[in-house]
Each structure stands twice: as C-alpha cells, then as structure tokens.
Amino acid sequence: MVAAVRVSRWRHVGEDGWMQQTLASNASCIELAESVTAHNYRPLPIVVAQAEGAWVTDVEGRRYLDALAAYSALNFGHRHPVLLDAARGQLERATLTSRAFYNDQLGPFCRDLAALAGMDRVLPMNTGAEAVESAIKVARRWGYEVKGVPDGRAEIVVAEHNFHGRTTTLVSFSTDPVARRGFGPYTPGFTLVPFGDAGALRAAVTPSTVAVLLEPVQGEAGVILPPAGYLADVRQVCTESGALFIADEIQSGLARTGATFACDLEDVTPDVYVLGKALGGGIVPLSAVVSRDDVLAVLTPGSHGSTFGGNPLAAAVGRAVVRLLETGEYQQRARELGERLRARLDPLLGRGLTAVRTRGLWAGVDIDSEIMTGREACEALAACGVLAKETHGSTLRFAPPLVIEPEEVDWMVDQLEAVLAHAPGRGTP
Ligand SMILES: *Cc1c(COP(=O)(O)O)cnc(C)c1O
C-alpha cells in the first residue's frame, strides 16, 4: 500500500523531537489538546507530526495523503522547498517591522502580486477574514466618497450559503445557523440573494449598493459551481449599477481551479480580489485585498491597518508564491490532474455518490445519505490513509495539494471507491 511504503522516509520522526518524546501517542496528544483548547472544532483523530508535499505523518509514524490541504492553503504542498528557502532566507534578515516603518520585502511582494492580478495596488493583511473585512471597509468608503451614497446607507449584496470568515460582521450575513447562533447583534447593511441567480441579483441592487461580494465557486458550501455565464452577469450588473464586484478568491484562487483565479475561467475581471490561504504558502498567514488605484485610494493614513500586515517574513514567502504562480505550472497541474480526478469520480455516481462537482483539482462529492454520513466516510477514508473533510452532512471535499502525483490521485479515488463499496448501509459484500 502506498501509505505503508512511504513511512520509511520519516523513520527519524520522534527520535530527537521533544514533542514526540513527551507525547508519544495519538491518543495522548488528542487528550491534552481536548483538555486545554476551546472546542470550536471537531477534528478527525489524526495527530500530524511531520509533513512533506501531499503527505503527512502522524506521531505514531502512520502516513496519510492530505486530500484537504488545509482548505487549499497548501496548494503548493507541505513545505515546498522554494517556499521554505524564501522563509529561511528572510528569517536570517528581518521578520517584523510593523507598518510604522518600511521593509524591503513589502514593495516587491505587492508589485508582483498586483501584476499577477492585473491590478495596481495591494492592501496586505494576515487572515482571510481580515482581508474580507478590509474589502468591505474599502467598498463602503468608496461608496460614500466616490459613488456618493448617503452616509450610513451603504448596502452590499452577498450570496446565500456564502463563507467569508468568522468575524462578527462576516457571520452577520452568513446563512449557516451554526455559524451565527449566539453571536448577535448582527452588522446591518447586507442583502442576501440566491447564489447563481443573476435575475435575483439584478433585482437586489439599489442606488445604495456599493458592492457585490461573492465567491466565484462556493467552497465551504460544498464546491458549488454557479451556472455558466453567471460571473459575467455579475460583472455586467456591477458595471451598470456602479457597484464594485468583490471576488472572494481566498479558496478558489491561486491555481486551485486550473487558472490563477476562478474568475479567469469565465474571462471575468472583478474590481477587487480578496486573497488568502495559499498566498502564505502554507507557512505564514498572509492575505490581501488587490484592486485598482481609484478603489484603494480611499484608504488614508490611520484609516485602516494591522500590526502584522505586510511583515517582511510573510511578504518574502508571498513573493515566492507569486513566482511559483507566474510559471503557470501549478495551474496546468490543477487542470490535468483535475480531469483525471473527474474521470475517476464520475463512475462512482450511482455507486455511493449522488453528485460530483469539480473545478480544476477541486471536487465536492455528495455521498448517498442512505449508505453513510459524510463524517463516517471521512473516518473510513482516514483508516485507508486519506484525509478528507465533510462539509454540510453528506458532502465531501477533495482538494489535495497541486504537487500530488497522477497515480496518487488514482490511489485516493481507489480508497473512496473501497469505502463506498463497504459502506454499512449496503450490507457486507
Ligand atoms: C477560508 C475562507 C475565508 C476565511 O479565511 P480565514 O483565513 O480562515 O479567516 C474567507 N473566504 C473564503 C472563501 C474562504 O474559503
């Protein structure tokens, strides 16, 4: 089995690490973590100690294919050598300055990222949620100062089943009751429309609409793809009504879908990209709002900021990420491996799967709820050496690092096929 063969590469795990000496077993690591952390997650019982490329190794030496890739934050795999070199090099020079001073990594990173996106300027932040919050602030101020919306009246149109992060404002316009319950009072100023319905969007836009904020592909919702032409319609509605099109490409962007941005697949250019996750190369939190001069110009000294935003360590890693993307190699891998994944998943329709949705190397599959839950499928997959995560009950997402090998894609689907074939609801074969 692939997983077993690969264990030998990590035979040194635990030999010299204090963590492995004090916490020798998966069970003891989990027990400690559960006793001292807030229970805002319910992880699979896997304790990662080492990782490389598309594979992780637990504290007991078991190998797993990482088919989640930290929700696409690990598009380039664990510890990509080029990104590690960039980080190591910068660790030896300077790591944090705050924006009270300049650092020599900030300019090159923002220049290169803006060029990659075909935009003028970058507002660097840290987490995805912060970048979405920042884009909302920019859009509101742009609405008042440029569009002329009366003060305090700005509206932003968002889609049902969105996921933009966990801050109080962002959960205010979530439609997921679990994400919202107990966290009010909620921030006003958001209008919900069904995702993929251009007519509903057109009807929701008013003279006070400053922006339409959307994920081009709804990742957390289960890799939900809008109908063809929808993003172009969104672009048209925004242009006609004088609203900003803000594309949250935190999960869909940076090569995952087979293009640098998911919007590229429909030849659509938004006014604002919101980026995060893979931008930090799986090493540091790094997010960004990327837009034109006339939009980001509304931010003035003191009006917005972040202590860690634009720090030289993150900027050095982010610039190396941009350099990897400039080659087009990862976009191409996502396209080719994605076709392979699709070809292997389709035959499972009616054999345990009720739906398959893919965009590049990114798949949402719906498990037949008669045979098992999404959680049960993930537990069974983990027992076979594949780490995946359910979202919304019976949907599983597969988004392995783009450095995965073609045979490993096949092996991953072989494990899914075996899990479905032996599902409890189907009886023992
Ligand atoms: C993950 C994600 C976010 C939030 O990013 P964090 O870094 O977790 O704050 C926002 N939008 C989308 C589309 C995401 O997938």
Side-chain angles (χ1 to χ4, degrees):
M1 188 171 111
V2 181
V5 170
R6 288 172 176 267
V7 166
S8 60
R9 210 197 283 179
W10 293 115
R11 64 187 182 281
H12 297 297
V13 168
E15 276 179 13
D16 53 8
W18 61 267
M19 282 179 289
Q20 283 76 15
Q21 282 167 15
T22 51
L23 302 169
S25 71
N26 280 324
S28 58
C29 291
I30 292 170
E31 192 185 311
L32 174 60
E34 287 301 319
S35 67
V36 295
T37 62
H39 290 172
N40 55 328
Y41 280 93
R42 185 173 161 235
L44 288 166
I46 311 295
V47 184
V48 175
Q50 291 258 21
E52 183 178 81
W55 293 81
V56 302
T57 307
D58 75 5
V59 288
E60 294 169 11
R62 245 176 262 114
R63 296 266 285 163
Y64 297 90
L65 179 69
D66 182 357
L68 179 68
Y71 307 91
S72 289
L74 288 159
N75 278 358
F76 309 100
H78 293 269
R79 299 169 55 243
H80 189 294
V82 168
L83 303 180
L84 285 187
D85 277 349
R88 281 197 198 99
Q90 194 56 38
L91 280 172
E92 299 300 325
R93 299 178 68 239
T95 53
L96 183 62
T97 54
S98 86
R99 294 289 302 276
F101 317 112
Y102 292 90
N103 69 69
D104 62 5
Q105 300 301 307
L106 179 65
F109 162 60
C110 294
R111 175 194 62 204
D112 294 354
L113 180 59
L116 182 79
M119 294 285 183
D120 303 319
R121 279 176 197 279
V122 172
L123 169 64
M125 301 297 286
N126 309 284
T127 66
E130 266 182 310
V132 180
E133 285 274 354
S134 304
I136 289 170
K137 288 173 74 175
V138 167
R140 285 180 168 180
R141 196 178 254 205
W142 177 89
Y144 300 130
E145 295 184 355
V146 179
K147 183 168 176 169
V149 171
D151 197 32
R153 303 277 292 279
E155 292 164 15
I156 295 177
V157 181
V158 293
E160 290 169 5
H161 306 295
N162 67 73
F163 184 85
H164 296 290
R166 301 297 201 161
T167 65
T168 43
T169 287
L170 301 181
V171 301
S172 292
F173 58 86
S174 169
T175 52
D176 177 359
V178 179
R180 281 170 61 87
R181 190 184 62 79
F183 298 137
Y186 302 111
T187 308
F190 297 93
T191 308
L192 281 158
V193 293
F195 183 64
D197 182 342
L201 174 66
R202 196 167 269 117
V205 166
T206 75
S208 295
T209 302
V210 298
V212 176
L213 166 63
L214 293 173
E215 303 154 83
V217 175
Q218 290 190 322
E220 294 308 300
V223 192
I224 305 299
L225 310 169
Y230 175 67
L231 296 179
D233 289 340
V234 174
R235 173 68 276 177
Q236 197 188 355
V237 170
C238 288
T239 303
E240 286 170 7
S241 64
L244 299 175
F245 179 6
I246 304 174
D248 179 348
E249 294 246 22
I250 290 171
Q251 195 166 155
S252 59
L254 310 186
R256 172 57 61 189
T257 63
T260 303
F261 303 107
C263 285
D264 295 345
L265 296 172
E266 300 224 13
D267 283 323
V268 165
T269 307
D271 300 291
V272 179
Y273 288 109
V274 186
L275 304 176
K277 292 203 165 106
L279 190 59
I283 301 176
V284 287
L286 175 59
S287 64
V289 179
V290 188
S291 187
R292 297 188 307 265
D293 276 330
D294 60 301
V295 177
L296 284 174
V298 300
L299 292 182
T300 48
S303 62
H304 191 57
S306 159
T307 305
F308 288 91
N311 73 75
L313 178 60
V317 172
R319 191 178 174 207
V321 164
V322 171
R323 234 176 285 136
L324 292 182
L325 289 166
E326 282 165 354
T327 67
E329 180 192 336
Y330 294 90
Q331 294 88 328
Q332 190 184 343
R333 285 190 79 88
R335 279 195 301 277
E336 292 172 3
L337 293 166
E339 276 171 33
R340 192 173 184 119
L341 175 63
R342 177 86 209 194
R344 291 295 319 276
L345 286 173
D346 275 341
L348 301 182
L349 277 167
R351 291 171 54 222
L353 299 185
T354 58
V356 173
R357 297 172 295 276
T358 63
R359 204 51 120 230
L361 191 59
W362 198 16
V365 304
D366 297 343
I367 307 267
D368 183 350
S369 55
E370 303 276 296
I371 64 167
M372 68 203 309
T373 65
R375 177 78 184 190
E376 286 166 344
C378 288
E379 285 167 357
L381 274 170
C384 297
V386 175
L387 298 185
K389 191 77 176 71
E390 80 277 10
T391 174
H392 300 283
S394 58
T395 298
L396 257 57
R397 178 173 22 186
F398 291 95
L402 306 177
V403 297
I404 191 174
E405 295 298 333
E407 312 76 56
E408 294 172 334
V409 171
D410 294 344
W411 181 81
M412 177 179 84
V413 183
D414 288 344
Q415 307 316 303
L416 176 65
E417 190 170 358
V419 162
L420 295 172
H422 296 96
R426 305 189 126 190
T428 354

